[in-house]
């Protein structure tokens, strides 16, 4: 359903030259910064995943804070959250605020343990940890492929965010595909080039610029705009009226009302499970783990879990701008003449601010796409190189070969995302990203549970993952968009046994855990081997500045050299923990 919108006088057909000029200048600045980033915390060589893909595991608190913020709060976040508030209200949009608040205590508890064990054993991806914990190639491959596939539409959505800015600024029109999409091609080429040359150091440097611009734009908007549209009382009143009108129109058309100003009791389960499930899923993505493992200590992770909620505050303000746009009468119309809620924030800024400041806002969104797109492509490439190429294709690959494959794969991943955005309906990218969230959450037991216990059997974890994945996919397929009639039209469905709408990923997760528990009990009763664990309890508490770790790592490195020369079945025959040769 498309509610009636007030038509503004602003012309959306022409190019906003001033805004475009500001956007281009700021884009050029971050491009230069991206290419120069290889000098940041310069390494002797970039020919390893540790250096190219994890920035040498050397980033301190503030660098990690900006990097994680740039990674988690993407351009699409700043486009989609207020767009959801604008279109259908609080359940679809505002749940993102509590979910990010729930997220940080979760990562405070488990991410420091993952950092420590990864530091001790040189793990680069979550699948590396699973491989070392259970010595099971199949379970490791399941985690790797899920992370890789789930990340792909996420990258595509960053390009959708750039497209939204380009449309509002007046670029992207016409029938000539080259002229129409040339700006996006240029942005892609620049992103690909500096990511290839600088690795994770590029988004780490650019994240500073991105976050400063985002904070500036949102704070100015929240202070300035309410006074221009009658104050917050008028804003909330306009939002409530629109949600009521949406629901009345849906009922009249024979559809279920889906808009909400304040979620009613019927939406409590959907709201709560979306918030909880999204929080549990976010740090299962390879890019979230990559940004975390690049930090220089476990305490850096914990400090960031404490200060990252500052972004949640900004996200709450940003979400409310969707309702400011309702009061302002913003009409987000694309260059194709069709209403497109994804354009509402860029359009609001173009309508309500001077062109130069609108250009700053557009640059903030565009740069906000480059940072996460770079990290996501690096994380996906690392996953492919370490857990697919080296594990299954070339077991003897050297660190330099791993890095080369990862660099090339990062280019292919971005190219796929570009083709996806240019050839398919944008709604497909959104639907696949929702599906990716359901998939990635099914890796939670194998990763997080295994950080604390090996009680779960590897076959139970694998079968639970498969059952959760299949159930989640089938349920998501059965959700039909009432307007378009297409499948994969949402991420909520009735919860079996409860009869309330809930996030499909959470239901699939519960089923996943139940299957894992039952299979584990059977495997333990049958005394089936649970694989070899190359970690020890101390590994999960190790820190970079711990003198015990320094001594142990010296012994570990010397022993790896000895074991690497020995036949595989004779390796690790001493008492030095975790000293098997790196795979």
């Amino acid at each position: 359903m498309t509610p009636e919108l007030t038509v503004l006088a602003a012309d959306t057909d022409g190019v906003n030259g001033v805004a475009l000029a500001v956007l281009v200048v700021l884009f050029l600045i971050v491009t230069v910064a991206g290419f120069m980033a290889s000098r940041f915390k310069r390494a002797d060589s970039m020919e390893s995943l540790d250096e190219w893909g994890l920035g040498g595991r050397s980033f301190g608190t503030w660098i990690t804070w900006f990097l994680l913020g740039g990674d988690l709060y993407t351009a699409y976040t700043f486009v989609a959250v207020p767009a959801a508030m604008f279109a259908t209200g609080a359940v679809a949009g505002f749940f993102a605020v509590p979910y990010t608040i729930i997220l940080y205590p979760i990562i405070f508890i488990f991410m420091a343990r993952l950092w420590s064990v990864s530091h001790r054993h040189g793990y680069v991806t979550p699948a590396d940890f699973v491989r070392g914990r259970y010595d099971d190639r199949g379970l490791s491959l399941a985690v790797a492929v899920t992370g890789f596939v789930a990340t792909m539409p996420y990258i595509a959505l960053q390009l959708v965010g750039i497209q939204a800015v380009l449309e509002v600024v007046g670029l992207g029109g016409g029938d000539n595909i080259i002229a129409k999409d040339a700006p996006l091609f240029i942005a892609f080429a620049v992103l690909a080039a500096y990511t290839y040359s600088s690795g994770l150091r590029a988004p780490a440097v650019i994240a500073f610029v991105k976050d400063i611009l985002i904070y500036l734009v949102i704070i100015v908007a929240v202070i300035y705009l309410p006074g221009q549209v009658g104050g917050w009382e008028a804003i909330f009143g306009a939002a409530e009226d629109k949600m009521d009108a949406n629901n009345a129109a849906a009922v009249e058309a024979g559809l279920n009302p889906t808009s909400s100003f304040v979620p009613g009791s019927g939406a409590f389960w959907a709201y709560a499970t979306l918030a909880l499930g999204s929080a549990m899923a976010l740090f299962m993505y390879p890019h979230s783990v990559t940004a975390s493992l690049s930090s220089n200590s476990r305490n850096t992770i914990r400090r960031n879990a404490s200060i990252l909620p500052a972004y949640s505050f900004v996200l709450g303000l940003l979400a409310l701008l969707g309702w400011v746009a309702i009061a302002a009468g913003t009409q987000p119309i694309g260059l194709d003449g069709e209403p497109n809620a994804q354009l509402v924030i860029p359009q609001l800024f173009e309508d309500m601010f001077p062109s130069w400041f609108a250009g700053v806002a557009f640059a903030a969104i565009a740069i906000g796409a480059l940072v996460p797109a770079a990290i996501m492509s690096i994380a996906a490439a690392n996953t492919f190189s370490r857990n697919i190429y080296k594990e299954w294709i070339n077991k003897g690959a050297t660190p330099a070969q791993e890095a080369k494959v990862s660099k090339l794969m990062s280019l292919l991943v971005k190219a796929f995302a570009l083709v996806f955005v240019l050839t398919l309906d944008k709604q497909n990218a959104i639907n696949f990203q929702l599906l990716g969230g359901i998939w990635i959450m099914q890796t939670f037991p194998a990763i997080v549970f295994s950080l604390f216990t090996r009680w779960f059997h590897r076959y139970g974890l694998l079968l639970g993952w498969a059952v959760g994945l299949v159930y989640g996919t089938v349920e998501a397929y059965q959700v039909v968009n009432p307007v378009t009639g297409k499948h994969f039209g949402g991420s909520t469905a009735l919860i079996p046994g409860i009869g309330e709408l809930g996030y499909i990923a959470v239901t699939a997760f519960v089923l996943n855990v139940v299957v894992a528990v039952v299979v584990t009990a059977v495997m333990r009763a049958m005394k089936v081997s649970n694989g070899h664990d190359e970690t020890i309890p101390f590994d999960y508490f190790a820190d970079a500045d711990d003198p015990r770790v320094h001594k142990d790592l010296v012994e570990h490195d010397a022993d790896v050299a000895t074991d690497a020369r020995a036949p595989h079945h004779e390796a690790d025959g001493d008492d030095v923990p975790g000293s098997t040769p790196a795979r």
Side-chain angles (χ1 to χ4, degrees), residues 28 39 53 72 125 221 308 510:
L28 289 174
R39 303 181 182 181
L72 305 181
T125 69
L308 274 169
V510 172

Side-chain angles (χ1 to χ4, degrees), residues 136 138-140 142-143 446 457-467 512 516:
D136 192 297
L139 183 58
S140 172
V143 172
H457 198 279
R458 52 182 174 163
Y459 296 153
L461 292 170
L462 183 59
L463 188 59
W465 163 84
V467 170
N512 180 344

Side-chain angles (χ1 to χ4, degrees), residues 439-570:
W439 290 345
I440 200 68
M441 190 171 171
Q442 306 319 306
T443 65
F444 190 98
I447 297 172
V448 178
F449 291 178
S450 299
L451 286 168
F452 297 90
T453 179
R454 278 187 95 243
W455 182 86
F456 286 91
H457 198 279
R458 52 182 174 163
Y459 296 153
L461 292 170
L462 183 59
L463 188 59
W465 163 84
V467 170
L469 204 72
V470 171
Y471 173 85
T473 304
V474 171
E475 283 294 302
Y477 177 80
Q478 292 175 348
V479 178
V480 178
N481 187 307
V483 177
T484 64
K486 294 182 178 180
H487 294 280
F488 297 112
S491 55
T492 58
L494 290 178
I495 304 173
I498 297 177
E500 298 283 352
L501 280 177
Y503 186 26
I504 295 171
V506 173
T507 308
F509 170 78
V510 172
L511 185 60
N512 180 344
V513 174
V514 169
V515 171
V517 168
V518 171
V519 174
T520 294
V522 172
M523 293 295 105
R524 283 180 164 272
M526 296 174 63
K527 300 187 183 303
V528 177
S529 170
N530 200 20
H532 170 69
D533 181 10
E534 71 177 19
T535 72
I536 62 172
F538 172 70
D539 293 342
Y540 298 88
F541 302 95
D543 204 351
D545 57 359
D546 190 327
R548 294 171 299 173
V549 177
H550 286 304
K551 179 177 182 295
D552 188 55
L553 286 178
V554 171
E555 296 174 354
H556 169 270
D557 292 341
D559 190 63
V560 165
T562 300
D563 286 345
R565 293 190 295 269
H568 180 70
H569 68 279
E570 297 177 2

Side-chain angles (χ1 to χ4, degrees), residues 166-206:
L166 296 176
E167 277 201 56
V168 172
V169 84
L171 298 178
D175 297 326
N176 186 318
I177 188 170
I178 297 178
K180 176 182 177 182
D181 297 312
L184 197 59
F185 275 108
I186 294 171
F188 160 79
V190 169
L191 170 65
Y194 65 62
T195 302
Y196 187 92
S197 64
S198 301
L200 194 66
R201 287 171 170 81
V205 170
I206 296 172

